[in-house]
Amino acid sequence: MKLINPQEIVEGLQRILHRFPATTTFLSILNLWTLLLVWDFVNLDGNGTGWFSVTSDHSAIIFYYLCTASVLDVVMNLLGEEMHSQRRFKAISLTVHALLCINSLVLWNLPEESITESVVVAQTAFTAALFICGIFLPFFREKDDIASWNFTLRMGVFAVLCTFACCIVSIGLVGLLWSIDRLFDISVDNRWNFTILTLMMLAVAPCIWLSRLPEKSEKHDRKAQTWKFLSGIVRWLFLPLVLLYMAVLYVYVIRIAFLTELPRGGVCWMVNAFMLGLIAIVILLYPQQHASAGHPEELRSFELRAMRWMPFLALPLLVLMSIAIGRRIMDYGITVNRLYMATLNLWFYGVCIGLILFRGHRIHWIPLSFAALAFVTSSLPVNFYSITRHSILSKIERTLSEHGNPALPMDQDNYDIFTKSLKKKNAVRLSGQLL
């Protein structure tokens, strides 16, 4: 049995520092900031006797900046390894980091009441889009997507294994401290538990993961690897479930056609689940489809035939979803959820048409188009939240102007008096708009 060699650990840390120097710096600051919070060296909202005070929102912004900067630096380094001009890479990297700093400073100076759900969604969409682009853009010169599929699989597997291992070790160490407290009557400060969790999850796990990221020839492994276990999971679990969803939806189509009814809004969630399952199957079976090229007998396998025909069968279900969304918007107006649902519907059309035209030979464009769509609809100044807010405010102002322009602002008593003067239908509509 080979024991862990300390020299290998040192060499691994040296590789991380050489390949991701800025990432390790951001992670170190993140750990330091978290430990300062754990040990009460920082006062949140003025409570405590620490060295200095910050608000909870500002603390969250610091945490967000350090996490996003770490992800951003990994993304930029993966992309920079594919660029011939290091000067251009450094210029792009510094520009992107500067934009992140400006974004964080804007968040820092926002009033507390302005940090709403829309801001959180915008930042989340920005980070997710950044991460997705970082996975796939380094492989833009490849003729197919096998190399990026292998890289993404390894990266995901390593992330799960690192997180799982560090969780087990964290639980073991916390249990050890608890045992010392119980067996020897030695009081152990609860902050030591949070210190262990912080170091394991924000220091050890990321470092192990970074050290295991493929590079050079391993990063561009172009061999299509077909896993029988993965193919079995798709064939016996995922594919039957997706086909069941499709069968239920087609039965529903026949029912509403027979009864001459319009589809209910809830059908959109079933179509979403079906389409996400279809996309997952296409991505998971991509190496098997690529490896079967030139082997007609393998192309006749049940899962590959289903993967080729399901985009055609999904189009009528997307029309059903379009009708359901259109009905909800016509009856009740636009909301953030309905706008996102309509956008997903359009994206699903594009995915199905792309799968039909490209026959699944490339899959990069699916996650990249989703990342671009998430960024455009959520992170730009004019986004679905601002559009919905403007639409609802316009309707409220129109309702108020039609009923005598009551004095604003109103307290609860005046609002109750005003709504009682309206017809029940208008009162319900106004209350729904305000909610």
Side-chain angles (χ1 to χ4, degrees):
M1 180 177 178
K2 185 179 179 181
L3 297 177
I4 297 176
N5 189 348
Q7 186 178 354
E8 294 180 358
I9 298 176
V10 173
E11 291 175 354
L13 290 174
Q14 289 175 344
R15 285 198 304 271
I16 297 171
L17 289 171
H18 181 263
R19 190 180 183 191
F20 303 105
T23 305
T24 52
T25 302
F26 286 124
L27 286 174
S28 299
I29 299 173
L30 176 62
N31 279 272
L32 177 61
W33 175 253
T34 308
L35 291 177
L36 288 175
L37 291 174
V38 168
W39 288 94
D40 299 326
F41 289 111
V42 179
N43 303 328
L44 286 180
D45 300 321
N47 299 320
T49 58
W51 295 344
F52 55 92
S53 299
V54 295
T55 64
S56 299
D57 289 335
H58 285 169
S59 176
I61 291 169
I62 293 173
F63 195 85
Y64 160 77
Y65 168 74
L66 293 172
C67 290
T68 307
S70 302
V71 173
L72 174 63
D73 189 69
V74 173
V75 167
M76 295 307 301
N77 274 280
L78 292 175
L79 183 59
E81 291 172 350
E82 310 304 318
M83 298 178 66
H84 299 300
S85 174
Q86 288 302 304
R87 181 178 297 179
R88 180 182 300 175
F89 160 67
K90 290 179 180 179
I92 294 174
S93 181
L94 289 173
T95 301
V96 175
H97 274 289
L99 292 175
L100 177 61
C101 290
I102 293 171
N103 174 66
S104 300
L105 288 174
V106 170
L107 291 175
W108 185 276
N109 292 295
L110 281 177
E112 185 176 347
E113 62 274 8
S114 298
I115 303 180
T116 58
E117 181 184 356
S118 63
V119 175
V120 176
V121 171
Q123 302 304 318
T124 304
F126 167 73
T127 307
L130 192 68
F131 186 72
I132 292 173
C133 291
I135 294 175
F136 295 102
L137 285 182
F139 302 92
F140 62 92
R141 290 193 178 95
E142 297 286 341
K143 295 180 180 180
D144 54 49
D145 298 333
I146 289 296
S148 65
W149 194 96
N150 290 334
F151 177 78
T152 305
L153 180 66
R154 291 177 183 175
M155 188 171 63
V157 169
F158 288 146
V160 172
L161 291 177
C162 290
T163 303
F164 179 74
C166 288
C167 283
I168 295 298
V169 174
S170 299
I171 293 171
L173 291 175
V174 170
L176 181 63
L177 293 181
W178 179 83
S179 299
I180 292 174
D181 186 5
R182 290 303 180 96
L183 296 178
F184 300 100
D185 295 324
I186 300 175
S187 179
V188 179
D189 195 321
N190 194 45
R191 290 177 293 187
W192 283 108
N193 297 330
F194 291 105
T195 300
I196 291 171
L197 292 173
T198 298
L199 293 177
M200 293 302 301
M201 304 310 298
L202 297 182
V204 177
C207 285
I208 297 175
W209 181 70
L210 289 173
S211 69
R212 302 301 300 171
L213 281 182
E215 57 181 324
K216 297 180 181 179
S217 59
E218 290 184 1
K219 182 179 176 183
H220 291 272
D221 180 10
R222 298 176 179 85
K223 183 179 178 181
Q225 301 177 4
T226 58
W227 292 14
K228 291 184 178 180
F229 173 77
L230 191 60
S231 299
I233 290 291
V234 171
R235 169 177 282 192
W236 301 111
L237 294 180
F238 289 173
L239 190 55
L241 181 62
V242 171
L243 292 176
L244 281 174
Y245 266 81
M246 185 174 67
V248 171
L249 286 168
Y250 267 101
V251 170
Y252 180 70
V253 169
I254 295 171
R255 177 182 181 275
I256 62 174
F258 180 76
L259 298 176
T260 62
E261 295 178 350
L262 288 173
R264 299 176 182 178
V267 75
C268 296
W269 296 104
M270 282 199 67
V271 178
N272 282 341
F274 165 72
M275 284 302 303
L276 292 176
L278 170 59
I279 293 170
I281 289 172
V282 168
I283 293 174
L284 292 174
L285 291 181
Y286 179 73
Q288 182 176 341
Q289 182 192 21
H290 191 273
S292 63
H295 300 83
E297 66 282 357
E298 293 187 18
L299 288 173
R300 286 195 293 269
S301 66
F302 171 67
E303 57 266 28
L304 291 183
R305 282 186 295 174
M307 188 182 76
R308 287 197 301 274
W309 283 103
M310 275 198 294
F312 291 96
L313 298 173
L315 290 174
L317 302 180
L318 293 179
V319 173
L320 177 72
M321 181 178 175
S322 300
I323 296 172
I325 295 170
R327 178 191 177 188
R328 300 290 289 182
I329 292 176
M330 292 294 292
D331 290 346
Y332 305 106
I334 64 171
T335 63
V336 173
N337 288 340
R338 288 173 197 144
L339 287 178
Y340 276 121
M341 199 70 76
T343 305
L344 263 182
N345 184 235
L346 293 175
W347 182 67
F348 287 149
Y349 276 115
V351 168
C352 286
I353 293 171
L355 291 175
I356 292 170
L357 294 178
F358 300 140
R359 298 182 181 180
H361 293 312
R362 301 300 296 261
I363 55 174
H364 261 175
W365 59 274
I366 298 176
L368 287 174
S369 62
F370 180 80
L373 205 59
F375 179 79
V376 169
T377 57
S378 302
S379 298
L380 295 180
V382 179
N383 52 54
F384 282 170
Y385 279 88
S386 63
I387 293 171
T388 303
R389 188 185 303 112
H390 177 74
S391 173
I392 291 176
L393 286 176
S394 299
K395 291 179 180 179
I396 292 173
E397 290 173 356
R398 186 163 58 249
T399 301
L400 295 177
S401 64
E402 291 173 355
H403 296 86
N405 281 323
L408 298 175
M410 294 184 189
D411 57 19
Q412 186 63 45
D413 293 334
N414 289 329
Y415 176 75
D416 292 339
I417 293 172
F418 175 70
T419 52
K420 287 178 182 178
S421 67
L422 303 177
K423 294 181 179 179
K424 184 177 180 180
K425 179 181 178 180
N426 293 333
V428 171
R429 183 177 62 182
L430 178 61
S431 297
Q433 292 167 346
L434 291 173
L435 292 175

